[in-house]
């Protein structure tokens, strides 16, 4: 039973006349943010909360359709609702600035939603994505306690929060590009960071990052999230963090992290200036249950949050493979790559000689449909590798990472993928792209030492991972036990962090205690606050 005692306490308090606990959970309208938000919603529902889970209309429809196709069970005590967003229909950020500006303008939408909900019952708290400032303002205006949910790593959040420190100390912005070639290092469309534009910029990016509280001493400026590494002090991204995230997270009644103290303890301990009430309640993917014999068991449980239909044939394919023989390859729900890079990955995977399961979304490749020659080459690659490879559009990633045939994970280093890989004890090959992924990659390879990173080369001003590098690193991470001391250590570290993650969410663990403390705090606020029931 999931934390049954705590649930019984909450139900008893409702019977005794106390206000029932009602959490309104609002993720950023992106797959990587919806998943941990729904994982948290499930945990709260198991504790007796009534949960209203809010998606934008487009994502709500996709989620409901996918849950039906994937045969997801109904979630007791969770009501799925939608709001109008006026955003683009696609799930990728075709225009990231327009997308974020649209989110910033959604305050009236959420104020109207909260007013409607308050006419039916009280709201104990609004749990909003840490990037969703419009929700924050609407909740505070109506006197509702606001909880920030950080769906990225604690270290990347600390980097974003201390942007003003980097600016005041002169670490940022980066030196301007040369006058004869003013192309910035940061791709303003894909938000990926390219090679340095000058020797001066290269030196700045290699410099130690010494002014980040709680940060690893191994960090360098180049390990910051890419959107911070611009040449423009007045960039949209700098202004967004300085005007929304930095001042608003301290104003939250508390902040929840999808992390655990055994993984990011140093940075979590250093965050006292960010908020007085910080709770590390992750990995949210892990849940504690009690078996029929009364023994506590901790394992990964799917959230039922996917926006795509899952190809479950891959599990049968994995069943036919021997233990620790398959490389799982997936770059998440947003990351894309050039045709050149896609071809290098394909050739490298083929050259490695190892079996692989590769998630190839329809929009993974930029302008693939415009290059018939590439389509021909890629089709031939699929035929040549059909005996040891499977390519699918989407998978049940939790089940894949839990499968005994999977030996390693080639990943973009998105935080959900990182926590799922850690929870499954699976070593990683890292190819970061955007957002917090670059910072996560540094911790994966240099701090936690649970993976290897691809090294890129410069071609025509772009960073490209060559097929030889892909094949070399795949062979290393898939090597038999005892043949590569560094990889052996990576496997041992991966298993150790897996055990630490399980202990964190088990009874008496740091994350379980943090979740209980959060609930107690919210209960206390619910007893002493009376937000307006209608307006």
């Amino acid at each position: 039973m999931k934390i049954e005692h705590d649930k019984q306490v909450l139900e008893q308090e409702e019977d005794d006349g106390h206000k029932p606990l009602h959490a309104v959970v609002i993720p950023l309208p992106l797959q990587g943010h919806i998943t941990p938000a729904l994982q948290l919603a499930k945990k709260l529902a198991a504790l007796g909360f009534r949960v209203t889970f809010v998606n934008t209309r487009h994502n709500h429809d996709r989620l409901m359709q996918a849950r039906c196709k994937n045969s997801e069970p109904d979630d007791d005590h969770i009501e799925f609702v939608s709001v109008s967003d006026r955003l683009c229909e696609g799930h990728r950020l075709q225009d990231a600035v327009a997308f974020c500006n649209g989110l910033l303008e959604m305050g009236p939408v959420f104020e109207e939603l909260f007013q409607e909900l308050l006419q039916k019952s009280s709201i104990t708290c609004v749990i909003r994505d840490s990037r969703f400032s419009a929700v924050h303002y609407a909740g505070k205006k109506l006197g509702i306690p606001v909880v920030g949910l950080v769906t990225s790593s604690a270290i990347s959040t600390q980097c974003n929060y201390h942007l003003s420190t980097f600016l005041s100390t002169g670490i940022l912005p980066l030196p301007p590009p040369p006058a004869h070639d003013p192309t910035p290092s940061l791709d303003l469309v894909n938000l990926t960071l390219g090679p340095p534009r000058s020797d001066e910029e290269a030196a700045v990016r290699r410099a130690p990052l010494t002014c980040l509280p709680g940060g690893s001493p191994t960090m360098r400026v180049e390990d910051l999230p890419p959107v911070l590494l611009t040449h423009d002090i007045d960039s949209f991204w700098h202004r967004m963090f300085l005007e929304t995230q930095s001042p608003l997270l301290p104003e939250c009644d508390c902040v929840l992290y999808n992390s655990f103290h055994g993984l990011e303890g140093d940075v979590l301990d250093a965050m006292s200036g960010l908020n007085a009430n910080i709770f590390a309640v992750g990995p949210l993917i892990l849940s504690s249950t009690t078996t029929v014999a009364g023994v506590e068991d901790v394992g990964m449980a799917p959230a039922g949050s996917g926006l795509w239909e899952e190809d479950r044939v891959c599990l049968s394919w994995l069943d036919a493979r021997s233990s620790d023989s398959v490389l799982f390859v997936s770059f998440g729900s947003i990351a894309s790559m050039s045709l050149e890079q896609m071809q290098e990955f394909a050739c490298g995977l083929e050259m490695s000689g190892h079996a692989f399961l590769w998630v190839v979304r329809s929009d993974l490749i930029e302008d693939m449909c415009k290059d018939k020659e590439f389509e021909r080459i890629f089709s031939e690659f699929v035929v040549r590798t059909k005996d040891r490879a499977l390519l699918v559009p989407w998978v049940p990633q939790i089940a894949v990472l839990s499968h005994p045939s999977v030996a390693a994970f080639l990943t973009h280093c998105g935080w959900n993928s990182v926590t799922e890989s850690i929870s499954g004890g699976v070593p990683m090959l890292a190819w970061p792209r955007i957002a917090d992924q670059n910072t996560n990659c540094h911790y994966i390879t240099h701090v936690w030492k649970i993976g290897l990173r691809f090294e890129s080369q410069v071609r025509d001003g772009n960073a490209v991972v060559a097929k030889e590098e892909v094949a070399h690193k795949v062979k290393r991470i898939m090597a038999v036990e005892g043949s590569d001391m560094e990889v052996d250590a990576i496997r041992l570290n991966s298993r150790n962090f897996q055990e630490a993650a399980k202990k964190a969410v088990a009874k008496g663990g740091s994350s379980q205690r943090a979740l209980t403390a959060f609930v107690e705090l919210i209960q206390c606020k619910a007893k002493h606050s009376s937000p307006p029931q209608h307006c």
Side-chain angles (χ1 to χ4, degrees), residues 158-178:
Q158 184 78 325
C159 290
N160 294 332
Y161 181 72
H162 282 276
L163 172 58
S164 59
T165 302
F166 305 144
L167 293 172
S168 64
T169 56
I171 292 175
L172 296 177
L174 295 178

Side-chain angles (χ1 to χ4, degrees), residues 260-308:
F260 61 102
H261 208 270
L263 185 70
E264 294 192 275
D266 288 345
V267 65
L268 289 165
D269 290 342
M271 285 182 159
S272 58
L274 187 149
N275 194 287
N277 297 308
I278 286 179
F279 302 102
V281 296
L284 291 170
I285 188 62
L286 288 176
S287 294
S288 174
T289 58
T290 302
T291 65
V292 176
V295 178
E296 184 179 23
D297 181 47
V298 177
M300 290 194 287
S305 59
L307 302 180
W308 292 270

Side-chain angles (χ1 to χ4, degrees), residues 67-86:
R67 286 174 63 86
C68 181
K69 289 182 177 180
N70 296 331
S71 301
E72 295 290 344
D74 292 335
D75 289 298
D76 294 338
H77 307 301
I78 299 180
E79 179 185 8
F80 294 91
V81 303
S82 65
V83 294
S84 175
D85 55 0
R86 299 170 296 172

Side-chain angles (χ1 to χ4, degrees), residues 250-270:
E251 291 183 10
C252 290
D253 290 84
C254 59
V255 180
L256 304 179
Y257 281 87
N258 184 18
S259 188
F260 61 102
H261 208 270
L263 185 70
E264 294 192 275
D266 288 345
V267 65
L268 289 165
D269 290 342

